[in-house]
Amino acid sequence: MPTMKFLHVVSCSSEDKNYPAENLLKTEGGSHKWKSSSVGDKQVSVVLQFEKASEIHSIHIGNEGSAFVEVLAGRSTQTELDYQVILVASSFMNPLESRSGSNTGRVRMFGKDALSQNVLTEKWDRIKVVCTQPFNKTVQYGVSFIKVHGPAKTEDDSKPMTDKRLGVFKLKGGESPDRFEAGSLFAKHKDQDQKEISTPLKGAAAMRAASKLADEILGVSPKVIKQQPSQSRPVPMATKLPHTPSQSNKTSSKTETVSFTVKKPTPKLADTPSQKPSHSNGASSSSYRDTSPPPKKFKATQPKKAKDFNQLLKRVVFCLSGYKNPERGEIRDKGLAMGAKYRSDWTNDCTHLM
């Protein structure tokens, strides 16, 4: 929260020459203390003027020998009698500390919760600080500093309004609603396209544009050229058509050329290893043999049978140490029930010591 700056001291009931009330206006360096002019004053007060009226959200006070400090808020158009209490008299020193002169510089911070809620919502341009010390009549007292904080600045207040709106639409910076006319957007895009055409291309962009223009002139797209090698090409073959009775009246001595596409035959894999490859014209086609390995046979594993409860510790010989009855007897009986052997003392055949 920003600190509200003091403009000047309006009035002061008492002040020491070495510690005047104007010290409270200082924010950096030096001593900021304000003390009463003489000892034994029942009450001292000072009225401070802000630069501008604002809400008060928190107050920080540094004490200088005062037992109680009270803060009132007011306006320059009001009298001191019309000031309202924003911070009730708060204790800074107890009677024992006041008499002994200890902890005279205690600092306390009062937020919104400690301030009067009725006064927080209004704006004020003056405050009145009232200090009292009823427990010690032999000291000068006052405050070492006081800081008043106003409401936090929002982003909308700190930044100028640059966004403009046209109805429910948000405009970009630099545009105004007055410039919008019928067909203005299309004319704007047209101008941008003409600017792009007028600017010469350089480097890789010029090469891409030249290749694209050449493809458009030839009427050939690069995709079609790439797909042509993958397609099957026609192979012309000369064959003689056989004579048939229906063609007896036609001249069949001429040779006709038939063009067709030759596709590579795809080998057919055998369904089972025992199937034999097909033969044509008495010649065996070894290229069509099945080269896939025979399928592996997997043996079904039978689940292991679980051991009986009385056979779980069949080969275990145990001995107990450190256990007392009845727990010793329970462990022994459970081990014997699970098939183990028990020894009262340690022997060479013992496998476990519990």
Side-chain angles (χ1 to χ4, degrees):
M1 292 182 289
T3 303
M4 300 172 61
K5 295 181 180 181
F6 296 114
L7 188 61
H8 60 84
V9 177
V10 178
S11 63
C12 180
S13 63
S14 176
E15 62 179 356
D16 188 84
K17 294 181 179 179
N18 297 326
Y19 302 101
E22 292 181 356
N23 287 345
L24 299 176
L25 305 179
K26 301 177 183 179
T27 57
E28 296 180 359
S31 176
H32 306 336
K33 297 179 181 179
W34 161 65
K35 288 185 178 182
S36 60
S37 60
S38 60
V39 298
D41 291 338
K42 293 183 180 180
Q43 177 178 303
V44 293
S45 62
V46 61
V47 180
L48 302 174
Q49 175 75 37
F50 293 125
E51 286 185 347
K52 61 179 180 179
S54 177
E55 297 178 2
I56 299 175
H57 285 190
S58 68
I59 301 175
H60 297 181
I61 300 176
N63 188 29
E64 184 57 36
S66 301
F68 301 98
V69 178
E70 183 182 15
V71 180
L72 296 87
R75 299 183 181 90
S76 56
T77 56
Q78 299 175 341
T79 61
E80 294 186 11
L81 297 176
D82 297 331
Y83 288 3
Q84 299 184 24
V85 177
I86 188 171
L87 176 64
V88 296
S90 303
S91 175
F92 280 79
M93 297 176 66
N94 56 34
L96 182 61
E97 293 174 342
S98 298
R99 294 188 183 96
S100 62
S102 59
N103 297 328
T104 59
R106 181 177 284 119
V107 178
R108 294 188 63 182
M109 295 178 288
F110 304 92
K112 280 187 175 182
D113 298 336
L115 303 180
S116 177
Q117 301 299 320
N118 296 331
V119 183
L120 286 176
T121 57
E122 300 182 19
K123 292 184 177 181
W124 312 95
D125 59 356
R126 286 183 181 181
I127 60 168
K128 181 179 181 180
V129 184
V130 182
C131 302
T132 56
Q133 178 51 273
F135 307 115
N136 194 339
K137 303 295 183 180
T138 61
V139 295
Q140 294 174 288
Y141 61 92
V143 293
S144 60
F145 71 89
I146 181 169
K147 292 184 178 181
V148 183
H149 299 278
K153 292 183 179 180
T154 59
E155 294 182 358
D156 297 338
D157 297 337
S158 60
K159 296 181 180 179
M161 295 294 293
T162 57
D163 296 336
K164 298 180 181 179
R165 291 183 174 274
L166 179 63
V168 296
F169 299 100
K170 188 175 180 181
L171 305 180
K172 295 182 180 179
E175 295 182 358
S176 61
D178 299 336
R179 293 177 58 187
F180 279 93
E181 298 177 357
S184 60
L185 291 176
F186 297 101
K188 183 178 179 180
H189 288 296
K190 187 177 180 180
D191 295 339
Q192 290 180 355
D193 295 339
Q194 291 178 356
K195 289 180 180 179
E196 292 178 358
I197 295 172
S198 60
T199 56
L201 300 176
K202 298 180 180 180
M207 296 176 64
R208 286 195 297 269
S211 60
K212 184 177 180 181
L213 181 60
D215 294 339
E216 292 178 356
I217 294 172
L218 296 176
V220 181
S221 63
K223 294 182 179 180
V224 177
I225 297 173
K226 291 181 180 179
Q227 293 178 358
Q228 286 179 0
S230 62
Q231 296 177 356
S232 59
R233 56 184 181 182
V235 180
M237 295 182 67
T239 56
K240 292 183 179 180
L241 297 177
H243 293 280
T244 56
S246 61
Q247 296 176 345
S248 58
N249 297 328
K250 298 180 181 180
T251 57
S252 60
S253 59
K254 296 182 179 179
T255 303
E256 296 181 0
T257 303
V258 181
S259 63
F260 58 93
T261 58
V262 179
K263 296 181 180 180
K264 294 183 179 180
T266 56
K268 296 182 180 179
L269 299 179
D271 297 335
T272 58
S274 60
Q275 185 177 357
K276 295 181 180 180
S278 60
H279 298 275
S280 62
N281 300 327
S284 63
S285 59
S286 59
S287 60
Y288 296 101
R289 292 180 183 177
D290 186 13
T291 58
S292 60
K296 296 181 180 180
K297 296 181 180 180
F298 298 94
K299 294 182 180 180
T301 57
Q302 297 180 356
K304 295 182 180 180
K305 296 182 179 179
K307 293 183 179 181
D308 297 334
F309 180 77
N310 57 1
Q311 298 293 328
L312 292 176
L313 304 178
K314 184 177 181 181
R315 299 180 182 180
V316 176
V317 180
F318 69 97
C319 176
L320 299 177
S321 176
Y323 293 94
K324 295 181 181 181
N325 288 322
E327 188 177 7
R328 184 185 184 93
E330 292 177 358
I331 296 174
R332 179 191 60 201
D333 295 341
K334 290 181 180 180
L336 294 174
M338 298 174 70
K341 296 180 181 181
Y342 171 73
R343 298 287 185 269
S344 59
D345 294 325
W346 179 262
T347 58
N348 294 332
D349 62 341
C350 288
T351 60
H352 294 76
L353 174 62
M354 300 177 62

